[in-house]
Amino acid sequence: MTTYGLNVLAAVRSSDRGALVCTTAAVHSDCSPTAKLPVAEIGRNLHCRCGGTRLDSYLQLAETVLRTARRPMGAKAILDLAYRAGVVPKHLHGKTQQKTLQARLSEEILHHRETSPFYRTEPGQFFLTEFLDADDIPAEWKTPFPARRRTRDLTRDNTLGVKRSFLERWRRTFADADDFFRAAEAEEAMAYMHPDEMDERGYSATWTFAMVVKDDCTLAYRVGRYRDDRDTFAKRRCIGFPGPLTVEDLTLFSYDRLGAEDSAVKVLIQDLDISFASFHGQGKHRPTVEHVMVVDSDDGLDVVIVLTWNCPRWFEPTTRRLSLNDPHWLCTSVRHNDLDDFEPWSSKILAAQAAGEERTTVGEEADHGPAGRLSRVRIGG
């Protein structure tokens, strides 16, 4: 068992800023990764640190508890200690506090990434980045764990929807994105709405699908049931990273008229565990829109904006780093006969690409496109 210092912080309120001013006294406790957390003792220390003052938010509560405990904890354990210390305000009381706290921490890590004060050490366990350089913290607690992303969990904000009556005419085409959305706008067939309203109002959601490309290969992986539990997606291979196109993606600085590139960047940053700087600066590439396709799915129809991102030479996928199942490079210059092993979006892209290479090889060469580039070809009616 490893014994290391557990800081017991006595805190008082600063009169001018309302901030917590802390003094430190060293107490030793057995806090090895397998040791039992001294709940009662830390609870008393937490109450001492906060000076009996109730904390105002879930994140402030979690930060204070973790700083006092100096070890990773789950949402339930954080709340247990906070209640023992009597620092949970009445307005935070409720039946689903554990889920709320876990959601707040997850959203904080997702949106602020490297600048967030929190990170995961393993699924459901949170810690503070301020301890990454602490000598008395075990090494196994200093490796951030990238969380898996559920595709359906992303559809919380108002998403761009397109009327299904309009989509019926585009079901068998790979269309230019500008042409497609100009036509939808002209017919007043597109609007932002909450995903729960789509079906009732006769709309289908719009998704971005970012493909990671290196030379004539694209990054592929196998979709786990946690990530997407739809029957036609779960346990199938996939060649892109999906994300809903929401109202938040379109800004004054967007490169395209709907914010599709920004949506793809956001998804790739999370799923590939890379920084924003990978997409900006001299010699850096951003995802580029290839085309739009309308795909039959378990929920009806999906509007899919396909993008490609030429990744840096140094990028290589690893299972631990990305939390992906079986990440590998798929050669797109070779025809694939196992399309049933791919989810519907990837299968349609690969089938159209193979058909396009057979029929328009000369055209691709004249267009000076890279090997394996997706052709914007009409594949039916």
Side-chain angles (χ1 to χ4, degrees), residues 24 73 107 154 164 189 218 321 340 355 358 375:
T24 305
M73 299 175 68
E107 290 171 0
L154 293 177
R164 289 174 186 155
T218 186
R321 177 180 173 84
D340 289 341
E358 289 181 357
S375 303

Side-chain angles (χ1 to χ4, degrees), residues 332-378:
T332 54
S333 61
V334 176
R335 185 183 184 118
H336 296 276
N337 298 318
D338 55 346
L339 295 184
D340 289 341
D341 192 35
F342 292 84
E343 46 77 26
W345 300 0
S346 298
S347 178
K348 186 167 185 175
I349 291 171
L350 291 172
Q353 181 180 347
E357 287 177 349
E358 289 181 357
R359 294 181 296 177
T360 61
T361 302
V362 176
E364 283 190 350
E365 292 176 351
D367 197 35
H368 303 290
R373 181 176 178 178
L374 296 172
S375 303
R376 294 173 180 170
V377 294
R378 185 175 292 269

Side-chain angles (χ1 to χ4, degrees), residues 67-214:
R67 184 173 293 123
T68 303
R70 293 179 67 83
R71 65 176 295 148
M73 299 175 68
K76 185 178 185 301
I78 292 172
L79 284 170
D80 286 345
L81 280 185
Y83 271 110
R84 285 175 179 266
V87 295
V88 182
K90 291 182 178 179
H91 71 268
L92 293 186
H93 290 192
K95 295 181 179 180
T96 60
Q97 284 187 301
Q98 177 182 339
K99 293 181 179 179
T100 301
L101 175 58
Q102 180 140 345
R104 296 286 172 81
L105 288 167
S106 298
E107 290 171 0
E108 163 69 22
I109 294 170
L110 169 61
H111 292 302
H112 295 94
R113 297 183 61 79
E114 294 90 349
T115 61
S116 173
F118 304 97
Y119 69 96
R120 293 180 184 84
T121 58
E122 59 182 289
Q125 295 294 304
F126 301 93
F127 206 24
L128 296 176
T129 55
E130 65 189 61
F131 291 129
L132 287 173
D133 297 324
D135 294 334
D136 60 344
I137 300 297
E140 55 263 49
W141 293 349
K142 294 183 178 182
T143 303
F145 180 87
R148 295 174 294 174
R149 179 172 63 90
R150 288 182 66 94
T151 300
R152 289 188 170 186
D153 284 350
L154 293 177
T155 56
R156 296 175 181 172
D157 297 327
N158 282 346
T159 302
L160 182 63
V162 182
K163 284 185 179 179
R164 289 174 186 155
S165 57
F166 172 85
L167 296 177
E168 289 295 334
R169 305 197 302 273
W170 297 79
R171 290 178 73 160
R172 298 182 59 80
T173 62
F174 278 64
D176 177 85
D178 285 336
D179 293 344
F180 177 88
F181 287 107
R182 282 198 188 100
E185 188 174 24
E187 297 185 28
E188 299 183 345
M190 52 190 283
Y192 288 99
M193 65 189 69
H194 193 278
D196 292 343
E197 302 174 10
M198 294 264 181
D199 190 53
E200 183 179 348
R201 296 176 60 178
Y203 282 76
S204 291
T206 303
W207 297 80
T208 57
F209 191 65
M211 298 171 56
V212 179
V213 176
K214 183 187 288 189

Side-chain angles (χ1 to χ4, degrees), residues 240-299:
F241 297 86
L245 187 61
T246 71
V247 68
E248 300 294 332
D249 295 318
L250 181 60
T251 71
L252 293 175
F253 304 100
S254 295
Y255 285 72
D256 60 276
R257 65 197 306 264
L258 293 172
E261 291 184 15
D262 294 304
S263 171
V265 166
K266 180 174 64 178
V267 168
L268 292 175
I269 284 175
Q270 182 182 357
D271 282 358
L272 302 184
D273 193 28
I274 54 180
S275 69
F276 187 75
S278 301
F279 302 92
H280 294 274
Q282 187 174 4
K284 306 291 180 63
H285 298 280
R286 286 176 57 86
T288 56
V289 176
E290 295 290 339
H291 54 252
V292 175
M293 61 183 185
V294 179
V295 186
D296 291 282
S297 72
D298 295 351
D299 301 323

